[in-house]
């Protein structure tokens, strides 16, 4: 079989997802079983992988799905606990006191708070925290999920204290003896380049978040309404990315997102409270009343302010989230013994069905455990009545059921797709076949495609870490073969893999499940596909410009395309920020005629 046909067949499981989930608007619980059957059929009958390997990959996928469901349950439970205790009422009022403008709120919560949580825990945790919080504050569920997914780009490469770099890239490159001797230093050097690329592209992410929110969920369906806060959006972006890129180049890949998110949250939160660059009350933007929302915007989980609970101070209301952040950091720091203690209890299924595939769970280390522990502590600290806390558990359990069907097919499909190599046909695994074919076609233009391959890996695997493990060595070798600095090509892989999280199917399913928005995954991906395309194309253009400057000069195709994208962004801001629909002023009452 020719390489072209192999690549076409490798693409089929992804094509099924694109066609039925995104194109035909099927819910994930229908589209993903079909994609699983296609992947399993190709693995068994074309790649001639043994049935035991397909079964082992499927079981491993089910174990990962259980882990995701555990995280989802913990996140929903914490939100329901805050709702029943009355803390959510206080948190919402706190944001309203800063500004009632939803554009400012989504930047602070999704971009800054989400980046900090990503740096602490990664693995989809920011969406599990930020998305239900936004819904609890009055955002439509669809809007909250889209915002939560778009910000899953810039901070992701350094999520979970640098796991996508230290585990993903480092493991992926470890098979090359030429760089294995000083691999840690090499990865740190690549991390600096990754941070620079992310900083260049990530500066526009908060603006994209608000623009897409007002375009699809505003009364006037106007992108311009989001661009009206461009100064605040750029300020919030730089408040995170400047410390982020400094830390990446001085301290390595463990802390950029964590410190960048924390610094940005502190600076921007203080500035917003003082009214810096925040629209006036007369200019604030909000969603229409709930009864005017489209039917597909709301999820089945209603996270509204409880009529019960007691009044409390802002600090007391925020303590649960502060505990989540603190516990996530403490349990992920390598120089503390806590991580080892929590990882000591491991449920491990080694060499499933006689294969090399191993499935494992570390229940105490999963972020879901932290959510549950914090929920229990909140029950005590907020002096909740047992009946109200029981209601939080009951409603959270019901919410979990709807998420199960989609995830139990989505993740196994991914695992079968990834573990399709080593069969009797002698083919490489499907994602490697696909990437290798594209590289052969691209030649010197590979930097334009490298970010998309990284994104493809994250799209199917649901993880920047796994994408980097699959493709880092492949990207390095392509860089060598086209005679450019391979470290930049590896950096483009890591950046593309991070951006791919914005369209990753099982991340969308997981985020949607926290607010009961099941069955609308394709609509979410259609909205996040544009930010992903911008991110991958812009960073790929910058990468091409960098690696070919010495041979082709500064003004090459990459420089031209990156400049055009930048100019288009500036032009869009300049021409659209003043194009708001004009609301007619109410006529002034006529003055009475003075009596003589």
């Amino acid at each position: 079989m020719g390489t072209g046909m192999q690549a076409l067949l490798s693409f089929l499981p992804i094509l099924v997802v694109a066609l039925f989930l995104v194109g035909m608007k099927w819910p994930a619980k229908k589209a993903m079983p079909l994609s699983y059957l296609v992947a399993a059929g190709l693995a068994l009958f074309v790649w001639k992988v043994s049935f035991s390997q397909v079964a082992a990959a499927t079981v491993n996928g089910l174990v990962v799905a259980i882990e995701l469901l555990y995280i989802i349950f913990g996140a929903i439970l914490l939100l329901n606990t805050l709702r029943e205790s009355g803390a959510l009422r206080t948190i919402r009022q706190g944001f309203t006191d800063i500004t009632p403008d939803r554009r400012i709120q989504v930047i602070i919560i999704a971009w800054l708070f989400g980046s900090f949580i990503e740096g602490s825990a990664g693995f989809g945790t920011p969406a599990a925290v930020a998305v239900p919080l936004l819904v609890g504050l009055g955002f439509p569920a669809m809007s909250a999920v889209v915002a939560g997914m778009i910000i899953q780009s810039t901070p992701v490469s350094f999520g979970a204290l640098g796991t996508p770099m230290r585990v993903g890239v480092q493991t992926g490159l470890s098979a090359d003896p030429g760089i294995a001797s000083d691999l840690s230093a090499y990865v740190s050097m690549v991390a600096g380049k990754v941070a620079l690329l992310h900083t260049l592209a990530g500066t526009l992410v908060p603006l994209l978040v608000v623009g897409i929110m007002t375009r699809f969920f505003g009364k006037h369906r106007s992108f311009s309404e989001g661009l009206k806060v461009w100064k605040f959006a750029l300020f919030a972006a730089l408040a995170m990315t400047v410390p982020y890129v400094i830390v990446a180049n001085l301290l390595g890949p463990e802390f950029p997102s964590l410190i960048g998110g924390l610094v940005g949250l502190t600076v921007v939160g203080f500035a917003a409270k003082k009214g810096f660059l925040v629209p006036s009350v007369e200019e604030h933007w909000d969603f229409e009343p709930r009864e005017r929302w489209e039917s597909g915007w709301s999820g089945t989980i209603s996270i509204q302010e409880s009529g019960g609970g007691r009044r409390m101070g802002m600090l007391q209301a925020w303590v649960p989230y502060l505990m989540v952040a603190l516990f996530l950091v403490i349990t992920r720091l390598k120089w503390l013994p806590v991580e080892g203690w929590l990882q000591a209890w491991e449920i491990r299924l080694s060499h499933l069905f006689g294969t090399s595939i191993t499935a494992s769970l570390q229940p105490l280390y999963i972020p879901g455990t932290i959510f549950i522990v914090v929920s229990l502590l909140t029950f005590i600290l907020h002096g909740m009545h047992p009946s109200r806390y029981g209601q939080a558990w009951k409603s959270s359990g019901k919410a979990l059921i709807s998420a199960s069907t989609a995830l139990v097919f989505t993740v196994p499909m991914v695992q079968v797709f990834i573990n399709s190599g080593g069969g009797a046909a002698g083919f490489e695994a499907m994602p490697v076949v696909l990437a290798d074919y594209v590289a052969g076609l691209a030649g010197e233009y590979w930097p334009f495609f490298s970010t998309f391959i990284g994104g493809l890996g994250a799209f199917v695997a649901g993880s920047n870490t796994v994408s980097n493990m699959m493709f880092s060595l492949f990207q390095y070798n392509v860089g060598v073969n086209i005679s450019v600095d391979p470290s930049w090509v590896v950096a483009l892989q890591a950046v593309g893999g991070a951006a791919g999280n914005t369209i990753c199917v099982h991340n969308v399913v997981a985020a949607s499940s926290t607010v009961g928005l099941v069955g609308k995954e394709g609509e979410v991906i259609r909205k996040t596909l544009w930010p992903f395309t911008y991110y991958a194309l812009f960073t790929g253009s910058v990468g091409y410009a960098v690696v070919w400057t010495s041979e082709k000069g500064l003004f090459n195709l990459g420089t031209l395309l990156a400049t055009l994208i930048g100019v288009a962004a500036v032009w869009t801001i300049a021409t659209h920020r003043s194009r708001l629909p004009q609301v007619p002023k109410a006529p002034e009452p006529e003055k009475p005629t003075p009596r003589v």
Side-chain angles (χ1 to χ4, degrees):
M1 183 185 298
T3 56
M5 181 57 68
Q6 287 182 43
L8 178 62
L9 292 175
S10 299
F11 187 64
L12 279 182
I14 301 170
L15 183 62
V16 168
V17 175
L19 178 62
F20 291 100
L21 182 69
V22 181
M24 297 182 65
K25 302 182 182 181
W26 282 20
K29 66 181 181 181
K30 291 184 178 180
M32 298 317 297
L34 183 59
S35 180
Y36 169 79
L37 291 175
V38 171
L42 288 171
L44 288 169
F45 303 114
V46 179
W47 267 250
K48 299 190 184 301
V49 173
S50 66
F51 179 82
S52 59
Q53 183 161 326
V54 172
T58 301
V59 171
N60 188 30
L62 291 173
V63 171
V64 176
I66 290 172
E67 182 176 346
L68 287 170
L69 289 169
Y70 185 47
I71 295 173
I72 291 168
F73 173 77
I76 297 172
L77 175 63
L78 180 57
L79 256 293
N80 282 327
T81 302
L82 295 177
R83 178 176 64 88
E84 294 292 340
S85 75
L88 194 59
R89 180 195 307 119
T90 302
I91 292 172
R92 179 170 187 165
Q93 186 59 48
F95 276 104
T96 304
D97 290 343
I98 293 175
T99 174
D101 197 306
R102 300 297 192 179
R103 298 168 296 186
I104 306 302
Q105 292 177 1
V106 76
I107 290 173
I108 294 174
I109 296 173
W111 168 248
L112 295 170
F113 189 50
S115 294
F116 174 70
I117 297 298
E118 175 65 37
S120 305
F123 299 101
T125 309
V129 174
V131 170
L133 176 56
L134 287 170
V135 172
L137 295 176
F139 283 67
M142 176 74 75
S143 171
V145 172
V146 170
M149 295 309 301
I150 292 174
I151 68 98
Q152 290 288 284
S153 48
T154 309
V156 169
S157 288
F158 306 111
L161 297 177
T163 298
M165 299 299 300
R166 284 298 184 203
V167 176
V169 173
Q170 193 158 317
T171 302
L173 294 177
S174 61
D176 190 307
I179 55 179
S181 58
D182 197 14
L183 190 53
S184 180
Y186 188 84
V187 171
S188 294
M189 180 264 292
V190 171
K193 298 176 179 179
V194 170
L196 179 60
L197 291 168
H198 271 311
T199 298
L200 293 174
T203 300
L204 292 182
V205 167
L207 199 58
L208 285 171
V209 169
V210 293
I212 288 175
M213 183 178 72
T214 59
R215 170 63 181 84
F216 291 105
F217 305 100
K219 177 181 179 180
H220 303 291
R221 302 294 194 273
S222 169
F223 194 73
S224 303
E225 290 182 309
L227 296 182
K228 288 291 286 185
V229 295
W230 68 274
K231 293 180 181 178
F232 185 90
L234 294 181
F235 166 62
L238 295 173
M240 183 272 188
T241 56
V242 169
Y244 164 98
V245 72
I246 293 173
V247 169
N249 283 276
L250 294 181
L251 302 180
E254 287 85 1
F255 299 106
S257 295
L258 185 136
I259 294 179
L262 182 60
V263 171
L265 189 61
T266 304
V267 171
V268 174
F270 177 80
K273 196 167 185 179
K274 297 296 184 182
F276 180 68
L277 300 179
V278 174
S280 64
V281 175
E282 295 78 13
E283 297 175 325
H284 84 263
W285 184 91
D286 200 352
F287 302 102
E288 288 194 281
R290 189 179 299 270
E291 58 270 16
R292 296 184 183 177
W293 293 357
E294 293 183 11
S295 58
W297 291 4
S298 300
T300 57
I301 300 175
S302 179
I303 308 175
Q304 299 175 354
E305 295 174 1
S306 172
R310 59 189 181 86
R311 299 288 178 179
M312 63 184 70
M314 188 61 64
L315 178 59
Q316 186 180 10
W318 271 99
V319 159
Y321 283 118
L322 297 178
M323 287 193 295
V324 167
L326 178 63
F327 292 166
L328 286 172
V329 172
I330 290 175
T331 56
R332 268 85 184 148
L333 289 174
K334 303 295 182 184
W335 45 270
L336 290 178
V338 180
E339 183 181 48
W341 296 341
L342 298 180
Q343 291 179 330
W345 180 33
E346 182 179 44
I347 302 172
R348 191 175 186 84
L349 304 174
S350 300
H351 304 294
L352 285 165
F353 306 115
T355 69
S356 61
I357 299 174
T358 295
S360 64
L361 270 179
Q362 296 171 328
L364 297 180
Y365 189 68
I366 300 172
T369 298
I370 291 177
F371 291 144
I372 293 174
V373 169
V374 171
S375 172
L376 292 168
L377 292 174
T378 302
F379 166 68
I380 298 171
L381 294 174
H382 288 183
M384 295 178 62
H385 192 279
S387 64
R388 287 199 171 277
Y389 191 52
Q391 180 60 36
W393 276 82
K394 183 179 179 180
S395 55
S396 301
K398 289 181 179 178
L400 188 67
I401 297 173
S402 60
S404 304
T405 305
L407 282 176
V408 298
F409 284 100
T410 300
V411 190
M413 183 281 288
V414 167
Q415 291 298 319
V416 171
F417 190 74
I418 293 172
N419 290 284
S420 54
F427 303 154
E428 294 279 0
M430 294 184 210
V432 177
V433 168
L434 191 56
D436 202 12
Y437 182 73
V438 175
L441 294 177
E444 70 170 67
Y445 301 103
W446 176 250
F448 288 116
F449 295 89
S450 56
T451 49
F452 286 93
I453 290 296
L456 173 68
F459 172 78
V460 297
S463 167
N464 186 198
T465 301
V466 175
S467 178
N468 290 344
M469 290 174 66
M470 281 195 299
F471 292 130
S472 286
L473 185 57
F474 167 79
Q475 299 263 19
Y476 179 90
N477 289 333
V478 172
V480 172
N481 291 339
I482 63 174
S483 302
V484 299
D485 183 350
S487 66
W488 276 106
V489 183
V490 175
L492 291 171
Q493 154 63 37
V495 170
N501 278 259
T502 62
I503 55 171
C504 162
V505 177
H506 84 53
N507 277 357
V508 172
V509 172
S512 301
S513 300
T514 62
V515 291
L517 195 70
V518 178
K520 302 293 183 181
E521 297 85 1
E523 291 188 30
V524 173
I525 294 175
R526 282 196 297 276
K527 291 176 175 62
T528 60
L529 185 60
W530 294 106
F532 165 73
T533 303
Y534 148 73
Y535 214 101
L537 183 60
F538 180 72
T539 51
S541 301
V542 172
Y544 182 93
V546 170
V547 299
W548 288 115
T549 292
S550 60
E551 184 172 326
K552 299 178 181 293
L554 179 62
F555 300 103
N556 54 55
L557 183 59
T559 308
L560 175 63
L561 189 53
T563 302
L564 286 175
I565 294 172
V567 169
V570 173
W571 178 84
T572 301
I573 294 172
T575 58
H576 284 71
R577 65 189 181 92
S578 60
R579 291 185 184 175
L580 284 178
Q582 298 298 316
V583 180
K585 294 183 178 180
E588 296 184 3
E590 294 183 5
K591 295 181 180 180
T593 304
R595 301 177 70 179
V596 179

